[in-house]
Amino acid sequence: MSKYRTADEAVKIIKSGDRVFVHGVSATPVQLIEAMTRRHNELKKVEVVHLHTEGPAPYADPKYKDSFFVNALFVGANVRKAINEGRGDYVPVFLSEVPNLFRNKIMPLDVALIHVSPPDKHGYCSLGVSVDATVAAVQTAKYVVAQVNPNMPRTHGDGLIHIKQIDALIEVNDALPEQTAPEPDEAELRIGQFCAELIDDGATLQMGIGAIPNAVLKSLTGHKNLGIHTEMFSDGVIELVENGVITGKKKKIHPGKIVSGFVMGTRKTYDFIDDNPAVAMLDIAYINDTAVIRRNPKVTAINSAVEVDLTGQICADSIGTYQYSGVGGQMDFIRGASLSPGGKPIIALPSVTRKGISRIVPHLKQGAGVVTTRAHVHYVVTEYGIANLYGKNMGQRAEALVNIAHPDHREELSESLYDRFGK
């Protein structure tokens, strides 16, 4: 009996009170989401669980507040308003531990809505661009519904799902969402150059998408034998592979392979990973495990922040009490890099916001979340330089951070430093 259904038929399995996992990032199953939301009159208190998703999130609309509740494991722009207005909530959790929430029945799943490549001749579909925590969702959900798309790349690694594991399928032919990293401005390029100075030949890199990671990658053209073990990557990596900068030869685990949990970029990236044995898309519980990360040499992890206080506390997921994003994998890689032989954990951020407000501050905003503790921080980089906080006392840290703050704010920060530390 065929498992193929219409989208509306496929989501009829969802019942009031169910917990529904939604595949994320560029694999967001838009047609299944729309079909689920069309059932709003029949459903009450359906809990929708996901990491970052691309595209619309109609279930988060205020008019459906009695039907759906967003319980986000990472907060993206499409659900930010709902969560901060109380129509949803946020689960603070390390990305490495999200699969365990499903596998250990802390958050048992009733239904998983996923997005896969067409089955191959052996009956295997691929989770494609987003393996991360989705493989755990597929393994543990009572019912799995997939939209099957010829535009989804077939990737090697943990994301191969046999059609027997899928209860219902719908056929789609949708383009995957694409995201182009913005071109770095002058300050971001300087940050990229400072970060590149910290990266040794033979290092294993972790970084995300955005102007600063893009600036770092642009500054690495003279490096040799870099490797990639990261939760995600985008277009900027591909040019360095093609130019022989990224080879993975010095990696101790998965030598020669790019290891990642998900990708988010343009079609160039999706085509690059399609049936590419040099790319291993793996379970995020493995990729982000500090015990795994530390086994590679010279792991250099570059992550961002909303603000940094003068003792080195890192807020990266909120603006005061306003929930902006999530913990994600920052702490996984900051700690993993610090334990790696020759590793370097780096927090990189512009010295000021677009409105000119200092991002190096005497104290974090009231209600701000500390994603990375001051005990974990080593390097902080702005366009004004590099502050190495590791092994420094509180006063020394504050002095180092004042020195890389924007000049317009150094006097005020110095006064705070003196008031607190007498320096």
Side-chain angles (χ1 to χ4, degrees), residues 63-354:
K63 63 188 175 185
Y64 303 137
K65 62 183 177 63
D66 294 329
S67 302
F68 304 104
F69 181 85
V70 183
N71 202 15
L73 301 164
F74 191 92
V75 180
N78 55 3
V79 296
R80 198 171 287 143
K81 192 169 188 286
I83 286 165
N84 285 286
E85 291 180 354
R87 298 190 307 282
D89 211 336
Y90 161 64
V91 181
V93 62
F94 298 133
L95 184 55
S96 59
E97 296 184 353
V98 172
N100 291 337
L101 296 180
F102 306 148
R103 290 182 173 129
N104 296 335
K105 305 299 182 185
I106 296 164
M107 294 181 72
L109 300 175
D110 296 297
V111 180
L113 304 181
I114 64 172
H115 192 171
V116 299
S117 68
D120 63 16
K121 64 182 180 180
H122 303 292
Y124 285 93
C125 303
S126 169
L127 293 173
V129 297
S130 174
V131 172
D132 44 67
T134 305
V135 66
V138 170
Q139 291 167 350
T140 61
K142 296 173 186 173
Y143 199 88
V144 178
V145 182
Q147 60 177 55
V148 180
N149 188 353
N151 298 306
M152 177 65 76
R154 182 181 184 277
T155 55
H156 294 235
D158 294 336
L160 293 174
I161 308 297
H162 199 275
I163 199 166
K164 291 179 181 177
Q165 295 175 264
I166 301 171
D167 297 287
L169 306 98
I170 72 166
E171 291 184 299
V172 305
N173 192 1
D174 299 340
L176 298 185
E178 297 187 39
Q179 188 172 123
T180 304
E183 278 300 311
D185 60 23
E186 185 178 341
E188 290 158 343
L189 284 171
R190 286 202 298 272
I191 293 169
Q193 289 162 1
F194 283 128
C195 288
E197 290 176 14
L198 292 171
I199 297 171
D200 299 320
D201 287 344
T204 302
L205 303 182
Q206 175 263 329
M207 62 183 70
I209 187 173
I212 289 176
N214 197 30
V216 175
L217 292 168
K218 285 178 179 291
S219 301
L220 294 177
T221 53
H223 281 64
K224 297 177 182 177
N225 290 323
L226 299 178
I228 301 290
H229 181 108
T230 183
E231 63 191 40
M232 69 86 63
F233 72 91
S234 191
D235 292 18
V237 164
I238 299 167
E239 185 175 345
L240 293 178
V241 173
E242 293 171 344
N243 292 338
V245 174
I246 292 174
T247 65
K249 288 181 180 178
K250 301 296 183 180
K251 292 173 67 181
K252 296 297 184 186
I253 54 171
H254 307 287
K257 289 186 184 291
I258 294 172
V259 174
S260 185
F262 64 94
V263 300
M264 185 164 61
T266 67
R267 193 69 221 181
K268 179 180 180 180
T269 295
Y270 307 151
D271 290 341
F272 174 78
I273 66 173
D274 183 40
D275 204 26
N276 186 346
V279 178
M281 301 291 290
L282 304 179
D283 189 323
I284 212 72
Y286 171 83
I287 286 177
N288 281 42
D289 185 342
T290 55
V292 173
I293 295 166
R294 69 184 297 181
R295 290 168 61 193
N296 276 315
K298 302 179 182 178
V299 173
T300 305
I302 301 173
N303 288 270
S304 63
V306 173
E307 58 181 3
V308 183
D309 79 4
L310 285 178
T311 70
Q313 293 189 112
I314 305 298
C315 173
D317 69 341
S318 70
I319 302 170
T321 58
Y322 183 86
Q323 196 61 48
Y324 187 80
S325 57
V327 171
Q330 180 172 122
M331 266 294 298
D332 296 329
F333 274 94
I334 289 291
R335 188 62 178 151
S338 69
L339 295 171
S340 161
K344 295 175 182 175
I346 300 169
I347 298 293
L349 73 165
S351 63
V352 293
T353 69
R354 290 175 183 171

